[in-house]
Amino acid sequence: MPRVYRISELIAWSTGMKDYIISFAQAFPNFRVAELESLADLNGINIDLSGHDEKKPFMKVQLQDDEQARRLIKRSILAKGIYELWGEGNDLASLHESIKANASEKFETYRHNTFRFDFVSFMGAKTTEEKIETIDTFKYLGFQGKIRLKNPEVIFSVLEEYYVCGQEKADKPEHLWFGRQVEISARSEGVVEQYDLKKRKYIGTTSFDAELALVTCNIAQVKPGKVIYDPFTGTGSFLVAGAFFGGYPLGTDIDARSVRGKGPNNNLYSNFRQYGTASQFLDVWIMDFTNNALRRDFVIDTIVCDPPYGVREGLKVCGARDPAKAEGREHHIVEGELGYKRRDFLFPKKPYHLANLLDDLLEFAAERMPVGGRLAFWMPTANDEFVEHHIPQHERLELLYVLEQEFNKWSRRLVVFVKRDENFKGETINRMRSEGVTHFRDRYFKSFNEKSKQPSFPVQGEV
């Protein structure tokens, strides 16, 4: 009986594309496509990710060659590895039939290489005896090279997806794939564990989750040798993550305590020394972002940040709460010296509207980033109030992603923009102040049980 080909197989054959299978970690599945799309775009790779299912740990894709597969996965945080697909089936018998039909011409290529077999399993696992028994069924591959458990020339993998019903796990996998390992990701190399906040030398109450910081930097396309800027640096979570990907970290923060740290050996710079990226570190200094002192011709390639939104502490900028009372203070003399010029001077701060701050952030990004540069920031929302048009907009920035991390009654969303050239005509909109959405901080401390009559964020001058 003649073989029936799938449409995807015919397309791949006609275009010279090859089938690969990606294995994912079970973390933040709704961020996977955004990360892979961003990494593909960064490397000039065309890829169709429409086959992704957040509930599945594996996804089949078509790529031109192994080099594309390596570049796509090498720095991924949410993927674990990618494999050249040789066959698939619902059981071992159909898997072997698929391998013989699709990959028989590849057997000779690897006949004399040292090799080993790995198992990549989801929601199930085999015993050692079962693994050996399964490996024995692949004898028809005819490999004559030595089995080498450490550093073999080729690694072949059986990928298994088990079906779980209630509390009972299946004895046999629901579906299997077989392939040659092409690349494992930064995650599989241990970067998530390495950058874990529990192991970091200098952290604070606002330190951002290390895994999500790395994912954010991937989606923001932090590039080797390019500047990554965080206007609200804190203890430097995003700058540390960006340095891992080769970026040159630059940061500012209005809070001198977080920048200075707890001493010469326990501060923000200590983290870069810890991870061996101190040579990339540009600088971090105390500055109010809304009164930015950076030169206007200084190009910032990527902006990644988590703006303060008033849960741990209120959002403030430089300025007097009551300008009338503050008038004339700039001439105040202390011990024969102007007060604001003294080293012990504490500049006054006033509350600020988060909507205004996000307006400032988008305007700054549109002005300072090159075409193609990305802005990625996190913003909080109450789940029962959020709608997409609450996201601020700028006429030179195209909105790429709004990705949600949910915490029961509230969420924080990663909002990602890319700067376009003058031919792009978007809108400059910030509707958060006019849509009647209640003040997030008030609702947070009331456990979201009441809806405040205040607007989404406090207006300038309110606490």
Side-chain angles (χ1 to χ4, degrees), residues 305-326:
C305 59
D306 180 27
Y309 42 85
V311 172
R312 291 187 177 91
E313 56 184 68
L315 170 58
K316 295 182 180 179
V317 297
C318 290
R321 185 188 295 265
D322 188 342
K325 291 184 179 180

Side-chain angles (χ1 to χ4, degrees), residues 33-81:
V33 169
E35 186 193 42
L36 286 183
E37 281 183 347
S38 299
L39 293 177
D41 178 72
L42 183 62
N43 289 283
I45 299 171
N46 292 320
I47 188 171
D48 179 7
L49 300 175
S50 60
H52 175 255
D53 184 340
E54 291 183 7
K55 298 179 181 179
K56 300 288 185 179
F58 305 109
M59 177 176 66
K60 188 161 66 173
V61 297
Q62 279 78 44
L63 296 166
Q64 289 183 355
D65 51 34
D66 288 359
E67 180 58 27
Q68 279 197 350
R70 291 189 186 96
R71 287 188 282 122
L72 176 67
I73 295 298
K74 182 64 178 177
R75 56 180 273 179
S76 175
I77 301 300
L78 300 180
K80 295 195 294 185

Side-chain angles (χ1 to χ4, degrees), residues 371-387:
V371 172
R374 292 196 176 190
L375 162 67
F377 65 88
W378 289 81
M379 61 175 286
T381 56
N383 292 338
D384 60 351
E385 294 180 333
F386 177 77
V387 290

Side-chain angles (χ1 to χ4, degrees), residues 123-222:
M123 299 303 289
K126 284 181 166 59
T127 64
T128 301
E129 293 75 14
E130 289 172 333
K131 289 180 180 180
I132 294 173
E133 183 179 338
T134 300
I135 292 172
D136 285 341
T137 65
F138 287 89
K139 288 182 178 179
Y140 62 88
L141 296 174
F143 295 151
Q144 298 175 10
K146 292 183 178 179
I147 297 174
R148 182 181 295 169
L149 299 182
K150 291 186 177 181
N151 301 318
E153 294 173 308
V154 189
I155 298 174
F156 295 98
S157 298
V158 180
L159 298 92
E160 307 175 312
E161 183 179 1
Y162 289 78
Y163 176 74
V164 180
C165 182
Q167 299 296 321
E168 296 184 5
K169 294 184 179 180
D171 295 330
K172 296 180 180 180
E174 182 184 43
H175 200 80
L176 302 96
W177 296 263
F178 179 76
R180 174 180 58 86
Q181 180 180 294
V182 176
E183 185 65 82
I184 60 172
S185 68
R187 182 190 193 92
S188 294
E189 295 280 9
V191 66
V192 175
E193 291 78 13
Q194 179 187 359
Y195 278 71
D196 191 331
L197 292 180
K198 295 178 182 177
K199 302 177 182 178
R200 190 167 299 178
K201 189 171 183 63
Y202 175 61
I203 62 172
T205 57
T206 59
S207 294
F208 201 86
D209 176 79
E211 182 176 1
L212 267 182
L214 291 162
V215 172
T216 302
C217 286
N218 262 343
I219 298 175
Q221 293 185 335
V222 174

Side-chain angles (χ1 to χ4, degrees), residues 165-422:
C165 182
Q167 299 296 321
E168 296 184 5
K169 294 184 179 180
D171 295 330
K172 296 180 180 180
E174 182 184 43
H175 200 80
L176 302 96
W177 296 263
F178 179 76
R180 174 180 58 86
Q181 180 180 294
V182 176
E183 185 65 82
I184 60 172
S185 68
R187 182 190 193 92
S188 294
E189 295 280 9
V191 66
V192 175
E193 291 78 13
Q194 179 187 359
Y195 278 71
D196 191 331
L197 292 180
K198 295 178 182 177
K199 302 177 182 178
R200 190 167 299 178
K201 189 171 183 63
Y202 175 61
I203 62 172
T205 57
T206 59
S207 294
F208 201 86
D209 176 79
E211 182 176 1
L212 267 182
L214 291 162
V215 172
T216 302
C217 286
N218 262 343
I219 298 175
Q221 293 185 335
V222 174
K223 303 176 182 70
K226 300 295 184 178
V227 174
I228 169 177
Y229 173 51
D230 183 351
F232 319 102
T233 298
T235 57
S237 297
F238 290 113
L239 297 185
V240 168
F244 170 76
F245 295 117
Y248 286 170
L250 177 70
T252 59
D253 201 293
I254 197 171
D255 188 349
R257 295 168 299 178
S258 62
V259 174
R260 292 169 179 163
K262 302 174 183 178
N265 298 314
N266 190 9
N267 54 33
L268 193 149
Y269 187 59
S270 304
N271 292 336
F272 294 95
R273 290 199 300 266
Q274 177 182 349
Y275 297 119
T277 55
S279 62
Q280 298 162 225
F281 179 74
L282 294 180
D283 206 349
V284 173
W285 65 92
I286 303 162
M287 186 179 75
D288 172 13
F289 171 70
T290 63
N291 293 279
N292 204 287
L294 289 172
R295 293 198 323 265
R296 290 188 175 275
D297 60 347
F298 181 76
V299 177
I300 296 171
D301 301 282
T302 309
I303 301 174
V304 182
C305 59
D306 180 27
Y309 42 85
V311 172
R312 291 187 177 91
E313 56 184 68
L315 170 58
K316 295 182 180 179
V317 297
C318 290
R321 185 188 295 265
D322 188 342
K325 291 184 179 180
E327 189 175 354
R329 286 183 182 177
E330 64 269 21
H331 302 298
H332 185 58
I333 304 296
V334 178
E335 297 180 359
E337 185 180 3
L338 284 171
Y340 71 89
K341 290 187 176 183
R342 292 173 58 87
R343 291 182 61 85
D344 59 354
F345 176 73
L346 297 176
F347 48 83
K349 299 177 185 178
K350 64 181 180 180
Y352 199 61
H353 197 308
L354 178 56
N356 284 346
L357 182 65
L358 295 182
D359 277 342
D360 296 338
L361 182 60
L362 266 65
E363 183 64 33
F364 180 88
E367 179 183 315
R368 304 300 183 91
M369 293 194 310
V371 172
R374 292 196 176 190
L375 162 67
F377 65 88
W378 289 81
M379 61 175 286
T381 56
N383 292 338
D384 60 351
E385 294 180 333
F386 177 77
V387 290
E388 289 295 326
H389 63 252
H390 290 155
I391 301 296
Q393 302 283 345
H394 190 282
E395 60 184 6
R396 291 296 303 279
L397 303 175
E398 180 183 356
L399 179 63
L400 295 181
Y401 304 108
V402 180
L403 305 169
E404 180 185 13
Q405 184 189 19
E406 186 174 347
F407 303 100
N408 191 13
K409 295 182 180 181
W410 73 283
S411 299
R412 61 182 178 188
R413 285 173 166 83
L414 174 62
V415 184
V416 184
F417 292 91
V418 61
K419 183 177 177 180
R420 298 303 188 193
D421 60 24
E422 61 276 3

